[in-house]
Amino acid sequence: MKTEVVIIGGGPSGLLLSQLLNRANVSTVILERATRARVLSRIRAGVLEPGTVQMLHEAGVDERLKREGLEHNGCFLTDDDLMVQINFRQLTGKSVTVYGQTEVTADLYTAQDEMGANIVHEVEDVAIQSLDQTSSSVEYTVKGERKRIDCAYVAGCDGFHGVSRKTIPAAKRREFERVYPFGWLGILSQTPPANEELIYANSSRGFALASMRNKNLSRYYVQVPLSDEPDAWSDDRFWQELRSRLPAETADALVTGPSIEKSIAPLRSFASEPLRWGNLFLVGDAAHIVPPTGAKGLNLAVSDVFYLHQALIDALKRDNNAGIDAYSERALARIWKAMRFSWQMTNMLHQFDGEDSFAARMRKATLSHLAQSETARRELAENYIGLPF
Ligand code: APR
Ligand code: PHB
């Protein structure tokens, strides 16, 4: 088989890249390890930057998003004494859209099906070859049969645990990592959201986040030690802990119900450089991970796709390699700023085990400064709604 771009991984990065390339008449094959049902069962964050919404529009996959997405003009940051509103609309003229990543992924699958896209599920042992030659190839096994696709380029969209990044020789890669000493215990519940806007709470009992998916579906998180198991958290225990971390008024009005999903996610900042190795380009979680505190994971994957789809179209259709030559540097420039924001939000809002009393005062002072200074709020808002591509 032969195609122009082999895309490894059928998560949001791989699907969006394929969709944009197919619309420009670039042929693709997506190789995905999991079944489609499995990919669509993953629950991830749900805040889309305006730039992400625009990209989904350009990809022709925003019909349901326009109907069901919730426009959010701001969010709240709180501690035990203060509640600070960050009004994105007033501070930046822009807003974010709450719409689950799972829904984005489902919409992309539907759109790719309509285009007759080539998506192979349940592939095993993907191996990328001849990356330094004029053309490359990817081998994989499906239903016990070994297959091979020849291609001009390979897009590594296979997430943090994928094979693409590891195909780049270790000596040619630089990795940067910060692992945080806690996780987020998250639940989904069929209850109305605690508040119209998201609340990021830094309480003396640790961090909590009140988020949502729609008018009757809420998403909540509490910071927990990494040693905790979800089973140790009954619904009652979760709701009690959440209440103790939210502002009193919100906690009093909180509507609780059975949890639909309950899991613990570790928090990590990670980046691997460069993003290009010969004909291979890394995209999204394959190249970088951010803690969820700034809601940047999916949005960052989309800005990578923005740079890369243009670059590949220029290379394949216009014989112009300037975009692919600049991809790594351009994408990393934006990635590092989102890494910084996510790290800063994480430090500002969480309790670190064994920290001194000074650390808690620094968090309090940061929030107090945000309450007083429009400049500080604007800086946060500008990052939250997303830096320009
Ligand atoms: N071969 C084929 N597919 C693979 C392989 C492999 N060796 N390894 C992983 N995959 C698939 C996974 O099954 C998954 O469906 O690659 C896909 C990667 O998807 P994600 O992990 O969702 O990564 P990405 O598409 O970059 O999405 C960006 O934004 O909010 C964040 O982490 C969140 O997933 C989100 C990300
Ligand atoms: C979510 O709704 O799952 C969510 C929202 C904002 C975040 C992280 C997760 O920062």
Side-chain angles (χ1 to χ4, degrees), residues 309-330:
H309 92 284
Q310 281 188 336
L312 289 173
I313 293 166
D314 282 349
L316 288 160
K317 301 295 179 203
R318 303 186 188 110
D319 216 11
N320 173 358
N321 284 353
I324 56 172
D325 289 343
Y327 170 68
S328 187
E329 210 178 310
R330 281 180 81 193

Side-chain angles (χ1 to χ4, degrees), residues 9 11-13 31-33 42 44 101 157-159 162 285 297-298:
S13 300
L31 301 176
E32 166 58 52
R33 189 169 55 183
R42 297 185 187 126
R44 300 267 172 84
Q101 180 177 318
C157 304
D158 48 354
D285 278 19
L298 173 64

Side-chain angles (χ1 to χ4, degrees), residues 193-330:
N195 191 55
E196 250 177 68
E197 290 176 349
L198 270 64
I199 300 178
Y200 290 85
N202 157 38
S203 86
S204 56
R205 295 183 61 87
F207 171 77
L209 169 60
S211 181
M212 69 203 69
R213 289 293 173 273
N214 59 48
K215 300 270 177 244
N216 199 38
L217 192 58
S218 299
R219 180 81 171 146
Y220 298 108
Y221 301 91
V222 294
Q223 169 189 357
V224 295
L226 275 173
S227 53
D228 273 20
E229 294 287 341
D231 287 348
W233 284 86
S234 65
D235 286 359
D236 280 350
R237 183 178 172 206
F238 181 90
W239 290 121
Q240 197 183 341
E241 190 58 42
L242 179 67
R243 270 205 196 93
S244 76
R245 297 183 189 193
L246 291 174
E249 232 176 78
T250 314
D252 290 346
L254 185 71
V255 181
T256 64
S259 64
I260 304 173
E261 195 255 359
K262 197 182 279 161
S263 57
I264 295 180
L267 270 70
R268 172 199 307 270
S269 295
F270 171 86
S272 179
E273 296 180 352
L275 302 183
R276 178 188 186 181
W277 178 249
N279 295 332
L280 170 69
F281 300 88
L282 301 181
V283 181
D285 278 19
H288 44 78
I289 298 286
V290 286
T293 327
K296 289 286 162 248
L298 173 64
N299 294 298
L300 214 42
V302 170
S303 63
D304 289 355
V305 169
F306 169 77
Y307 297 126
L308 187 59
H309 92 284
Q310 281 188 336
L312 289 173
I313 293 166
D314 282 349
L316 288 160
K317 301 295 179 203
R318 303 186 188 110
D319 216 11
N320 173 358
N321 284 353
I324 56 172
D325 289 343
Y327 170 68
S328 187
E329 210 178 310
R330 281 180 81 193

